[in-house]
Amino acid sequence: MLQFSKIEPKAYVGDLLVYLSRQPGKGAPRCASEAVADVVRQVHALGDFSGKEGEHLLFYPGKERHGLPSAKRIMVVGLGKDELNRELFRKAGGAIASLAMKSKVRELLLVLPDLACDRAEMVEGLSEGLVLGAYRFKKYKTQKDPEVSGEMLQQAALYAADNKGLGKALKLAEIAAQSACQARDMANEPASHWTPRDFSEYGRQVAATHGMRCTVLDQARLKKLGLGGILAVNQGSARPPTMVVLEYAGKPEAPTLLLVGKGLTFDSGGISLKPSLGMEEMKYDMCGGAAVLCAMQAVAQAKLKGLNLVAIVPATENLPGPAALKPGDVISQYGGKTVEVINTDAEGRLILADALAYGIKKYKPDMVIDVATLTGAVIIGLGHHRTGLLSNNDDLCGRLLAAGNRSGEPLWRLPLDQEYTKQLKSEIADLKNVGKKDGGAITAASFLKEFVGDTPWAHLDIAGTAWDFTEKSYIPKGPSGIAVRTLFDFIRNWKGEGLSL
Ligand code: BES
Ligand code: ZN
Ligand code: ZN
């Protein structure tokens, strides 16, 4: 969808030509084209446009062009006067995409402004914003979406007189953003159309396309290996569970990172049934699994070399049924720990515990990150802006926090003292799966902690951010694709051979 254009803005005859303008201390915003700047000055004098962030000016040059460029539409988008960083450009890119889609714009040319900032950051931010902001899920619409009156935005080109060295920034941004859109697609699918089997089929397909190894563990294999958590959660479902494993080789001497994603394709709560109001949202309970698979896909596509990767997605539905798991049942997780299941709605930790213990035993990773829509409690604590981060390693946290900030997907670390684990003591088994309500995001992570041993590990609770994420121009309603770009950025910026313990 993205490329650099060789066409001079003045000669461009396409649907939409876009300029970006800072808000000056005084006077009218400036613009690279003198003729467009003239229009801006007029409109500024009327008090209708000052270059504020989020402001835009769209006009139609008409037949008498008065020296204006040849495009059908011309738009000037405000960048405000705050610090120029990737998020600001991302938001501008998102605003341009959604404005373009409100008109009948199929392709556009965006002129890069001459500003004192890191040009690669500018290109990355704008590119990500354009791709993420142009995303819509229309598969099940038989009629045109009234919100998008025109066609979908198909092509966006960037123009810079000198774009030397910027091609890589554009390519990486496009890969990251398209992978996040892929994760959004998976999440938007209803549970009837995105099943555990779809996870393994997708895994096989990306592995074949990008030269990764894919192993799918079916129900019989999960039984044989003793992954009792996944099997227990699956008991009420008519669809078999699956666990998909993807392996990507960076370079032999690099550390290995294990990624684990919660692939609950529908969470009804099971016998501890959820209230029906809003239950349809529980089709999104697979966003962690989607994030992990799509991040792998992005890394493989970009051929990043810094880390070796293993990704595991345990996938099942959680439904009540005649054979369903019941409150009070005792199950045996991979590795032998027993768990008294107090609440069948706390199922994510049961499937993740198996996947974490299995992945660590089999692949001996140097570090582990899991991503899961794990608790309603994290939404109470952090709302819909920051993802919860819980970890046993400060270095890993530092790198993830930085990756989240660079990606516009901020995280917030919550504590994980041993004291919290007390709530999980069971009278009859090694652990129980829930504590009291208080500190629910922390007790959930404390449960997982029992299965990772000393391996450096971080847990991302994305329950508040996987959908209904902070409103931004480049995040349309629905699933956000959260964590795909953060993981991609984390891997891309991996520096140093190891992690400090
Ligand atoms: N999938 C839910 C968590 C969730 C809730 C995600 C709301 C997104 C929005 C998870 O499986 C769950 O049901 N957790 C319970 C745990 C409780 C029973 C200890 C919860 O948070 O209510
Ligand atoms: Zn649940
Ligand atoms: Zn769940």
Side-chain angles (χ1 to χ4, degrees):
M1 173 185 164
L2 291 179
Q3 69 206 51
F4 272 107
S5 162
K6 289 192 190 76
I7 302 171
E8 295 266 333
K10 195 137 185 24
Y12 172 73
V13 290
D15 289 343
L16 176 66
L17 178 62
V18 186
Y19 290 94
L20 297 169
S21 273
R22 290 284 266 170
Q23 181 182 13
K26 54 176 191 285
R30 286 188 301 179
C31 181
S33 152
E34 236 341 281
V36 175
D38 249 356
V39 177
V40 171
R41 273 193 290 275
Q42 266 180 52
V43 180
H44 175 259
L46 293 173
D48 290 0
F49 181 75
S50 61
K52 264 200 211 116
E53 196 199 328
E55 250 184 10
H56 76 279
L57 159 62
L58 173 65
F59 64 99
Y60 300 79
K63 267 205 185 112
E64 309 276 327
R65 306 199 71 88
H66 305 295
L68 285 163
S70 314
K72 294 188 191 117
R73 303 169 185 80
I74 296 177
M75 184 155 74
V76 186
V77 173
L79 286 178
K81 46 179 149 198
D82 292 344
E83 186 203 336
L84 292 168
N85 55 33
R86 210 190 305 191
E87 177 68 356
L88 182 93
F89 287 118
R90 217 180 263 127
K91 285 198 242 167
I96 295 165
S98 57
L99 289 165
M101 299 214 307
K102 281 190 186 122
S103 321
K104 294 199 188 304
V105 169
R106 288 172 61 94
E107 43 94 33
L108 61 83
L109 179 64
L110 169 57
V111 182
L112 294 186
D114 197 5
L115 295 170
C117 66
D118 182 326
R119 301 220 311 151
E121 291 275 299
M122 168 160 64
V123 167
E124 286 205 22
L126 289 169
S127 305
E128 281 188 12
L130 281 167
V131 175
L132 292 167
Y135 176 84
R136 298 288 181 280
F137 186 74
K138 307 219 287 185
K139 182 172 163 191
Y140 297 104
K141 293 253 184 214
T142 60
Q143 243 114 66
K144 273 215 162 152
D145 186 346
E147 235 186 74
V148 183
S149 57
E151 297 291 329
M152 298 288 277
L153 181 63
Q154 309 274 329
Q155 285 289 331
L158 307 189
Y159 175 82
D162 173 17
N163 61 32
K164 232 199 270 135
L166 296 174
K168 188 175 162 205
L170 180 115
K171 200 72 230 152
L172 288 175
E174 187 175 24
I175 289 175
Q178 279 179 343
S179 301
C181 292
Q182 181 66 58
R184 287 169 167 178
D185 269 348
M186 294 176 183
N188 268 317
E189 286 290 357
S192 56
H193 284 67
W194 191 264
T195 66
R197 220 177 95 187
D198 291 291
F199 264 121
S200 37
E201 279 176 8
Y202 193 85
R204 283 204 182 99
Q205 185 202 313
V206 279
T209 315
H210 297 294
M212 290 186 272
R213 186 209 292 249
C214 175
T215 317
V216 173
L217 309 185
D218 63 8
Q219 188 159 24
R221 191 100 180 89
L222 294 171
K223 254 187 206 147
K224 205 155 173 208
L225 289 165
L227 282 89
I230 303 172
L231 294 165
V233 173
N234 180 254
Q235 277 169 210
S237 167
R239 301 179 206 272
T242 152
M243 196 161 90
V244 53
V245 184
L246 280 182
E247 291 169 69
Y248 170 78
K251 57 179 182 229
E253 68 277 17
T256 297
L257 164 64
L258 169 66
L259 298 172
V260 174
K262 174 176 173 182
L264 229 295
T265 57
F266 190 76
D267 181 13
S268 71
I271 296 296
S272 314
L273 196 63
K274 286 183 182 295
S276 52
L277 188 72
M279 202 204 271
E280 73 284 357
E281 293 190 337
M282 283 301 131
K283 71 172 186 176
Y284 296 138
D285 211 15
M286 36 56 72
C287 285
V292 157
L293 280 196
C294 294
M296 284 294 271
Q297 173 182 325
V299 169
Q301 212 178 328
K303 299 193 169 61
L304 302 183
K305 292 282 173 240
L307 288 169
N308 298 304
L309 302 175
V310 180
I312 304 187
V313 179
T316 174
E317 299 176 323
N318 183 22
L319 291 175
L325 181 67
K326 295 175 287 294
D329 284 358
V330 174
I331 64 166
S332 170
Q333 301 269 178
Y334 179 82
K337 278 204 175 85
T338 56
V339 175
E340 182 185 9
V341 177
I342 302 297
N343 189 320
T344 65
D345 197 11
E347 83 299 334
R349 60 198 80 183
L350 303 178
I351 70 169
L352 289 171
D354 274 355
L356 286 166
Y358 173 80
I360 289 171
K361 175 109 191 285
K362 176 143 174 110
Y363 298 97
K364 303 188 175 47
D366 299 284
M367 59 195 140
V368 186
I369 302 171
D370 79 74
V371 187
T373 45
L374 204 61
T375 65
V378 83
I379 311 177
I380 307 287
L382 299 178
H384 293 284
H385 179 50
R386 285 184 188 256
T387 291
L389 165 66
L390 298 105
S391 172
N392 60 8
N393 185 286
D394 295 346
D395 188 2
L396 186 53
C397 278
R399 293 173 193 245
L400 275 167
L401 287 164
N405 286 339
R406 284 191 296 262
S407 308
E409 299 183 336
L411 310 163
W412 193 260
R413 189 174 182 181
L414 297 171
L416 202 53
D417 309 71
Q418 197 55 33
E419 276 69 17
Y420 291 103
T421 312
K422 286 181 204 157
Q423 288 196 32
L424 300 174
K425 264 194 208 138
S426 160
E427 294 297 320
I428 64 161
D430 297 337
L431 285 168
K432 57 183 182 182
N433 76 331
V434 297
K436 290 190 231 112
K437 245 185 163 178
D438 322 348
I442 305 176
T443 44
S446 302
F447 182 89
L448 300 180
K449 192 171 81 167
E450 296 301 302
F451 296 87
V452 296
D454 295 332
T455 310
W457 154 75
H459 159 64
L460 270 50
D461 192 335
I462 58 167
T465 49
W467 68 98
D468 287 346
F469 187 41
T470 314
E471 218 173 285
K472 299 192 202 188
S473 61
Y474 64 89
I475 312 272
K477 280 203 187 73
S480 60
I482 199 95
V484 174
R485 290 181 304 107
T486 297
L487 290 174
F488 184 70
D489 183 282
F490 173 90
I491 296 161
R492 191 182 146 191
N493 284 295
W494 182 264
K495 304 240 161 57
E497 290 309 303
L499 201 64
S500 3
L501 296 175

